[in-house]
Amino acid sequence: MLIPHPLLGPRDAQEFTYLGDASLIDRPDGMADGAEAAFCDYVYLRDNPAGVHRELWFHEFGDRSWLVVTRNTVTHEILGAELAADVARRGR
Amino acid sequence: MSRIEGGLIDRSRSLGFTFDGKRLKGHPGDTLASALLANGVRLVGRSFKYHRPRGILSAGSEEPNALVELGTGARREPNTRATVVELFDGLAASSQNRWPALGFDALAVNDMLAPFLTAGFYYKTFMWPKSFWETVYEPAIRRAAGLGRLSMQPDPDAYDKGFLHCDLLVIGGGPAGLAAALTAGRAGARVILADEDFRLGGRLLAETHPLDDAPATDWVAAVEAELASLPNVRVLSRTTVFGAFDHGIYGAVQRVADHLPDPGAQVRQSLWRITARRAVLAAGATERHIPFADNDRPGIMLAGAMRAYANRWAVTPLTRPGQRVAVFANNDDGHRTAIDLVARGVNVLAVIDPRPDAPRLGEYQLFAAAQVTGARGRLGLSSIEVTHADGRAHWLEVSALGVSGGWNPNLHLASHHRGRPVWSEGHKAFLPGPDGPAGLSVAGAAAGQGTTHAALTGGARAAQGALADLGIAAALPALPAAEDRPAIPTPFWHVKGRGRAWVDFQNDVTVKDIALSRRENMTSVEHMKRWTTLGMATDQGKTANVTALAVMSELTGKAIPQTGTTIFRPPYTPVSLGVLGGGDTGPHFRPRRLTPTHAWAKAQGAVFVEVGQWMRAQYFPRPGETHWRQSVDREVTATRAGVGLCDVTTLGKIDVQGRDAAAFLDRIYANTMSTLAVGRVRYGVMLREDGIAYDDGTCARLAEDHFVVTTTTANAGLVYRNMEFARQCLWPDLDVQLISTTDAWAQISVAGPRARDLLARIVDGADLSNASFPFMACAELTVCGGLRARLFRISFSGELAYEIAVPARYGNALMARMIEAGADLGATPYGTEALGVLRIEKGHAAGNEINGQTTAQMLGLGKMVSTKKDAIGAVMSRREGLAADTRRLVGLVPVDPAERVVAGSHLFAEGAAQRTETDQGWITSACFSPHLGTHIGLGFLVDGAGRTGEVVIAANPVEGMAVRLRVVSPHFVDPEGGRLRD
């Protein structure tokens, strides 16, 4: 696969490490009330869609940026990629 | 001899080769198959299941029968297809799956047992008793039914892999592929043309039709020369594109040296990963056969293959003068074989054609509305039975039969992304569907463009269209005039009758097996495949699948499109595992990292050990030491008595800088780092977000906004990745930057009561007294007269200890300098074994304890997890399931000092039955302690915090051991910590 890196252009997927669902960006506040229940969902519950999926890839053998890649898990078509930091800053 | 006139072989040179030890001769340009036929060899193999004698069916990569072992010794390669093996001088081939000889095979008894070996036989028969499958049935079946043998020796050849990029990848070098490459090449596009054959031209080499009134090979030669002259075109012959992968990436294997007697300095094969913006699949078509009783006799082959052997290789499957050939075809294309053979002076007895209106296209006898209903000649065809429409049957003496049931487009790559082939009633064939890989178009016979004219224009147009997508304008080249007579077959899928009619030759599947499969309700194509194993051999049913589907459709009364189809998966043809590995074998299996002091350690005679990618000194044997324990005990003792030095560069180092560095680290570590004073170091533990401990190390504060974090060797990459995740994905607004400096700094542990004395001799003017540089101090300073260094007073051994870091390139010299400077202090290098013993004696947790299943609380570090702040894993570490766990890290010593302590042993209360339910923990680390003079261990024990002094049993059933151990503090050495603080 080729990942369209927003800064570096198309890069081979072999340069990346895959993590999983982009919802991992939405980490609950550990000091808030009910944090344990929120963390239980955060740590263990993920959507695993057959279709369009937003997911985290780490450019480990590259510029070390975390990306949010939008990928169709059925066709492997990649619909977009952006810096995870940008996604995190605007709150998804 | 069956060699005839003409052909594309070089008769001026002879090549000697052997088959089953027999010395034979061929010519350059021959394949092993054509050379065998030229020597009158028709019987080349035994079938997989019934050990039926088999010959050569095809002239290409679809071959299901003629599988042979090539080479000898370590180079022996089983299951190669004789039809694609390029002949070379000295080639040694042998038949396989036969004993004692190809002509007489004892296991051919399987053929007589055929009524019992039908579809689903294994599933039905070997069900009981269950344990017999692995021990009795499977080994016996594997011996009886099989393919070739492996050499069982390391592969002596080298392989390589590489990356290629192009605008247009053209797959196949026949008329469509050549026209496509020419069109794109002239337009200036970057083109790769990959062809599996050793000679460009594809089917043009096998046919006699002229192009522009000249031999087709003239046009091929002109195109080949033009492509070679274009710098933007790369032609890869002997290269099979075996798979279409995501985003325009194609896998290809180039057989660089398989056609050479010895590869010499070259690699044998190369794996190419081709990234193509567009691709044209021009892989041609594979001929179908027509199953009839005993249609697997050697001498029966595909009509198109028979024509190719005659036209390209100048051979026939005949063995003696006067023998005759017949053709069985349901389409006009099959008749071409008769026409070409007659033109070459071969005695063609008849063409048998089931079509009532079959045309007679040449000087041969035609039996229209007739079928071939039987064949005789166990080791080689001797006669066929022809049955006419009125039921009249007679036997004809023929030694070879060409069979043609039409052609199946080679659409395999188009279905590698699960694109489903679509039945075309007009073509009477499956064509590539519209849902193939993005960027891949199909041209020529692979797209059902069955005539030479259609293939040429189809190829050129496909290239033009693909380049138009890329904004490259390409003109259609002037293409030569070519034959344009389509040969659509009249559906005739198999001859009905009583005998066994083979559909899948490689897996020995007959029409009867398909019928049985249907009776047993395995009518879906996918079920039928698995029940009969049809199409599941290494040829993926290239000559079988569509025919089987048609047979099933007849049996069920459903149309072919309703019966379904199967798709193909990579690889198109078998790929050797060696080439997939490329050069990544032996010491090159993965990158090897050497520590900065590697050269020095090697010169000292160190024994090295692989630690992940690193090579680390394990111990440093001295003259007279004959056992590793002697060396390790000495290194440990010398360290605790004087001073020891160990390269600890492999521990991960992460430089953390920024205004918010302290706040950031508070969220990374379970304990607090923001309160750490500048010039001080703190031990820290990191949790996974699920609350389990995953790494530990030190955190040194060099400045308000500058920290250096160390990690374990194993997790250096993971911790860095996780910290970048936290920085970018969780807290992008913190002002903090990270960089891994593991390889930038050489770090040496200096441990033992004389450590300070030694360091004082190399540090430039710094005061190392306990008052000014106490335990857990750190500083940036210089050593050896101005060399930049960092000094940390931290201890993994429990001794007065430091770690000193210098730029990596100075590590080797610093080690040598310190050993020299500390000679009178007893300075001794120690390796990873002694490092392990020292830390077990001190009771420090390491990877054995922090193994992804344990919590900070279990490690005795529970109080470090701060409740005053949010940190990764903190919340989940407090959940009931983890918090209620009473297992704690304890020390263990044998009650009888002579006993051993073995890591992995499980702990039980004395007198208790030893079962999973009564299990009380396990031993994580164990060693012999020179300090105590006995074995010691660390382990996790239920209620471990309150059981000091108690005796437990360490059970090690693997070695039949049950040892009484006393529970003690994990700190075997200096539990008060006086040594490291003074």
Side-chain angles (χ1 to χ4, degrees):
Chain A
M1 288 201 293
L2 298 176
I3 310 275
H5 193 297
L7 305 177
L8 303 173
R11 305 300 311 174
D12 198 296
Q14 289 185 17
E15 297 172 5
F16 292 80
T17 303
Y18 180 77
L19 180 63
D21 193 89
S23 67
L24 286 170
I25 290 175
D26 306 327
R27 185 180 183 275
D29 177 359
M31 303 308 281
D33 289 341
E36 188 173 319
F39 267 94
C40 193
D41 285 356
Y42 173 72
V43 171
Y44 294 112
L45 296 183
R46 306 263 200 294
D47 287 336
N48 184 22
V52 175
H53 187 215
R54 298 181 76 219
E55 51 197 26
L56 286 158
W57 293 71
F58 181 48
H59 199 199
E60 187 149 38
F61 299 99
D63 76 342
R64 304 183 302 261
S65 34
W66 278 94
L67 306 184
V68 173
V69 176
T70 306
R71 183 176 68 107
N72 185 322
T73 58
V74 175
T75 62
H76 293 188
E77 186 188 359
I78 292 187
L79 305 162
E82 51 191 323
L83 293 176
D86 290 345
V87 176
R89 272 193 202 99
R90 67 162 194 264
R92 301 234 304 155
Chain B
M1 291 293 281
S2 59
R3 194 69 92 173
I4 54 177
E5 293 302 306
L8 303 173
I9 51 171
D10 177 6
R11 289 170 202 260
S12 68
R13 286 203 299 136
S14 273
L15 303 174
F17 70 103
T18 64
F19 181 64
D20 281 344
K22 204 171 155 195
R23 303 177 73 83
L24 305 169
K25 281 199 182 313
H27 295 294
D30 265 326
T31 62
L32 175 59
S34 71
L36 286 170
L37 290 175
N39 285 277
V41 177
R42 288 195 296 174
L43 171 63
V44 295
R46 288 275 175 170
S47 71
F48 177 70
K49 186 163 148 192
Y50 300 124
H51 290 248
R52 299 262 296 186
R54 289 285 164 80
I56 294 161
L57 183 77
S58 74
S61 59
E62 70 270 31
E63 179 62 32
N65 276 346
L67 304 182
V68 297
E69 284 176 3
L70 283 192
T72 54
R75 285 212 164 88
R76 186 170 75 200
E77 189 181 14
N79 311 330
T80 60
R81 289 147 295 151
T83 49
V84 294
V85 173
E86 191 174 347
L87 196 69
F88 57 82
D89 203 38
L91 182 146
S94 52
S95 56
Q96 52 191 38
N97 198 32
R98 83 288 186 269
W99 183 87
L102 187 55
F104 174 77
D105 177 4
L107 278 166
V109 66
N110 278 6
D111 197 26
M112 291 180 225
L113 298 174
F116 305 100
L117 299 177
T118 51
F121 164 67
Y122 301 125
Y123 302 121
K124 295 167 193 165
T125 310
F126 298 119
M127 297 291 288
W128 181 92
K130 205 174 166 188
S131 64
F132 269 37
W133 175 251
E134 272 182 28
T135 55
V136 180
Y137 298 139
E138 193 183 357
I141 293 166
R142 290 256 177 246
R143 267 199 302 280
L147 297 165
R149 305 158 301 156
L150 295 169
S151 77
M152 306 308 283
Q153 293 176 45
D155 188 338
D157 290 320
Y159 301 85
D160 202 1
K161 46 182 154 186
F163 294 77
L164 294 174
H165 297 262
C166 61
D167 296 319
L168 186 70
L169 170 66
V170 180
I171 303 159
L178 288 173
L182 190 65
T183 305
R186 285 183 183 170
R190 293 176 305 156
V191 179
I192 293 171
L193 170 63
D195 187 47
E196 64 176 352
D197 206 334
F198 54 88
R199 182 164 180 153
L200 285 182
R203 197 66 207 170
L204 291 175
L205 306 179
E207 304 289 358
T208 49
H209 306 295
L211 292 179
D212 272 349
D213 299 325
T217 47
D218 289 2
W219 183 77
V220 173
V223 173
E224 195 174 354
E226 182 172 346
L227 293 178
S229 74
L230 293 171
N232 52 318
V233 177
R234 180 165 184 162
V235 177
L236 296 172
S237 282
R238 303 184 175 94
T239 302
T240 303
V241 177
F242 63 80
F245 301 96
D246 291 310
H247 306 162
I249 295 171
Y250 294 82
V253 170
Q254 183 177 20
R255 290 170 293 279
V256 178
D258 275 353
H259 60 294
L260 303 175
D262 188 318
Q266 291 189 88
V267 296
R268 184 185 158 218
Q269 299 179 349
S270 286
L271 178 72
W272 292 111
R273 188 184 162 92
I274 303 172
T275 303
R277 300 173 74 198
R278 290 290 181 276
V280 170
L281 176 65
T286 299
E287 195 163 21
R288 294 171 198 148
H289 65 98
I290 303 173
F292 59 89
D294 295 323
N295 61 326
D296 63 335
R297 303 286 192 213
I300 299 176
M301 61 168 52
L302 295 169
M306 189 181 270
R307 194 156 81 234
Y309 283 116
N311 291 334
R312 176 173 172 185
W313 288 288
V315 289
T316 69
L318 304 176
T319 55
R320 284 194 309 278
Q323 289 183 333
R324 298 180 298 190
V325 172
V327 172
F328 179 30
N330 67 351
N331 64 85
D332 292 357
D333 187 73
H335 288 238
R336 288 177 179 163
T337 300
I339 296 168
D340 286 0
L341 289 175
V342 167
R344 290 178 174 277
V346 178
N347 191 344
V348 178
L349 180 61
V351 174
I352 301 104
D353 193 326
R355 296 177 293 176
D357 57 345
R360 184 165 168 274
L361 302 171
E363 298 305 310
Y364 52 81
Q365 183 180 192
L366 174 70
F367 294 125
Q371 305 172 12
V372 176
T373 48
R376 285 184 187 142
R378 191 166 164 73
L379 300 180
L381 185 67
S382 59
S383 57
I384 56 170
E385 185 188 48
V386 176
T387 301
H388 297 269
D390 57 8
R392 201 162 40 87
H394 54 99
W395 286 87
L396 298 177
E397 272 187 41
V398 296
S399 300
L401 177 72
V403 181
S404 175
W407 294 78
N408 292 322
N410 287 338
L411 46 77
H412 306 68
L413 267 73
S415 68
H416 279 183
H417 293 186
R418 300 197 67 78
R420 299 202 83 81
V422 177
W423 179 255
S424 162
E425 198 52 40
H427 293 81
K428 297 285 188 289
F430 281 100
L431 299 184
D435 51 357
L440 178 82
S441 49
V442 190
Q449 297 158 356
T451 70
T452 311
H453 171 79
L456 288 167
T457 51
R461 287 200 182 115
Q464 189 185 44
L467 295 184
D469 287 353
L470 305 178
I472 302 172
L476 290 178
L479 293 167
E483 66 82 24
D484 194 20
R485 189 164 183 275
I488 304 298
T490 298
F492 181 80
W493 295 102
H494 71 109
V495 176
K496 294 177 184 66
R498 291 154 51 88
R500 277 181 295 159
W502 265 262
V503 180
D504 181 332
F505 293 100
Q506 198 180 355
N507 261 357
D508 265 342
V509 181
T510 65
V511 172
K512 280 186 174 176
D513 291 319
I514 297 172
L516 180 63
S517 172
R518 192 237 154 185
R519 286 202 301 280
E520 292 177 336
N521 205 28
M522 303 290 177
T523 47
S524 118
V525 180
E526 299 299 335
H527 286 154
M528 185 257 282
K529 273 182 71 171
R530 283 153 186 84
W531 198 236
T532 63
T533 72
L534 181 131
M536 300 185 76
T538 57
D539 65 350
Q540 287 196 54
K542 288 191 180 67
T543 55
N545 285 355
V546 174
T547 303
L549 203 69
V551 170
M552 182 58 88
S553 123
E554 271 186 29
L555 292 170
T556 57
K558 288 184 193 162
I560 287 177
Q562 276 69 54
T563 306
T565 181
T566 61
I567 57 174
F568 299 89
R569 56 182 80 158
Y572 173 62
T573 53
V575 173
S576 69
L577 288 176
V579 74
L580 293 179
D584 301 343
T585 58
H588 305 297
F589 183 68
R590 58 178 176 183
R592 175 173 287 196
R593 298 167 82 184
L594 303 182
T595 64
T597 63
H598 189 84
W600 181 85
K602 204 172 168 187
Q604 304 304 307
V607 173
F608 292 94
V609 59
E610 274 184 57
V611 180
Q613 296 177 341
W614 291 99
M615 296 298 290
R616 294 188 72 181
Q618 191 175 16
Y619 54 97
F620 294 82
R622 287 216 174 139
E625 291 173 349
T626 55
H627 189 276
W628 63 270
R629 263 280 308 283
Q630 294 173 311
S631 311
V632 173
D633 289 357
R634 172 183 50 73
E635 290 170 14
V636 170
T637 308
T639 301
R640 293 219 187 278
V643 56
L645 294 102
C646 182
D647 187 329
V648 292
T649 304
T650 61
L651 276 86
K653 308 176 199 75
I654 300 165
D655 208 78
V656 183
Q657 297 192 41
R659 205 174 53 233
D660 297 323
F664 177 74
L665 289 173
D666 272 350
R667 301 180 195 188
I668 296 297
Y669 281 107
N671 50 321
T672 306
M673 288 299 172
S674 52
T675 54
L676 185 64
V678 172
R680 302 290 294 186
V681 186
R682 188 170 287 169
Y683 175 74
V685 62
M686 295 184 194
L687 309 182
R688 302 194 309 224
E689 197 68 275
D690 65 358
I692 300 286
Y694 92 95
D695 205 66
D696 69 342
T698 59
C699 179
R701 191 166 201 171
L702 298 178
E704 273 303 312
D705 58 353
H706 186 189
F707 293 79
V708 174
V709 163
T710 69
T711 75
T712 60
T713 298
N715 283 337
L718 180 66
V719 170
Y720 180 76
R721 183 196 308 162
N722 289 347
M723 284 173 67
E724 280 291 2
F725 176 79
R727 183 181 76 87
Q728 297 176 41
C729 301
L730 302 183
W731 302 297
D733 295 326
L734 292 185
D735 175 16
V736 60
Q737 296 296 327
L738 309 172
I739 190 161
S740 168
T741 60
T742 306
D743 297 78
W745 291 89
Q747 196 145 319
I748 295 171
S749 164
V750 184
R754 309 304 295 274
R756 184 185 289 126
D757 300 337
L758 172 56
L759 281 170
R761 296 179 186 179
I762 63 153
V763 167
D764 299 335
D767 178 7
L768 297 185
S769 70
N770 208 29
S772 50
F773 200 74
F775 180 56
M776 291 307 221
C778 67
E780 291 182 288
L781 38 73
T782 64
V783 297
C784 303
L787 175 62
R788 188 158 75 99
R790 289 171 176 174
L791 188 64
F792 309 90
R793 188 167 162 193
I794 51 180
S795 177
F796 199 42
S797 57
E799 300 297 329
L800 168 68
Y802 302 81
E803 288 186 14
I804 183 158
V806 293
R809 63 186 178 279
Y810 295 105
N812 204 56
L814 180 66
M815 179 64 104
R817 176 75 65 91
M818 286 198 293
I819 291 287
E820 191 190 323
D824 60 318
L825 304 173
T828 302
Y830 64 95
T832 55
E833 287 296 332
L835 182 79
V837 171
L838 290 164
R839 74 95 189 163
I840 295 170
E841 286 182 337
K842 180 61 186 173
H844 272 311
N848 293 15
E849 286 75 35
I850 306 176
N851 69 346
Q853 299 174 309
T854 54
T855 61
Q857 185 178 263
M858 287 171 71
L859 292 161
L861 308 173
K863 289 198 177 108
M864 286 177 66
V865 183
S866 169
T867 55
K868 297 195 184 83
K869 65 179 177 93
D870 186 14
I872 288 174
V875 170
M876 293 298 266
S877 76
R878 290 191 280 270
R879 60 189 152 142
E880 196 184 345
L882 296 185
D885 195 326
T886 66
R887 291 176 298 186
R888 293 292 180 274
L889 189 68
V890 296
L892 298 159
V893 292
V895 174
D896 173 357
E899 292 272 23
R900 275 197 306 146
V901 181
V902 178
S905 302
H906 275 245
L907 303 175
F908 295 91
E910 233 182 344
Q914 294 176 2
R915 293 195 309 270
T916 305
E917 311 86 78
T918 57
D919 192 311
Q920 297 213 318
W922 71 98
I923 299 176
T924 53
S925 300
C927 67
F928 176 80
S929 163
H931 179 73
L932 273 74
T934 69
H935 277 85
I936 57 171
L938 296 174
F940 291 104
L941 181 64
V942 170
D943 291 325
R947 294 175 70 174
T948 305
E950 205 176 299
V951 172
V952 294
I953 302 295
N956 176 13
V958 177
E959 294 184 69
M961 286 173 69
V963 179
R964 299 178 73 228
L965 302 179
R966 192 172 304 283
V967 180
V968 297
S969 155
H971 310 294
F972 299 93
V973 170
D974 187 28
E976 299 78 27
R979 291 191 190 187
L980 45 80
R981 286 195 173 81
D982 292 340

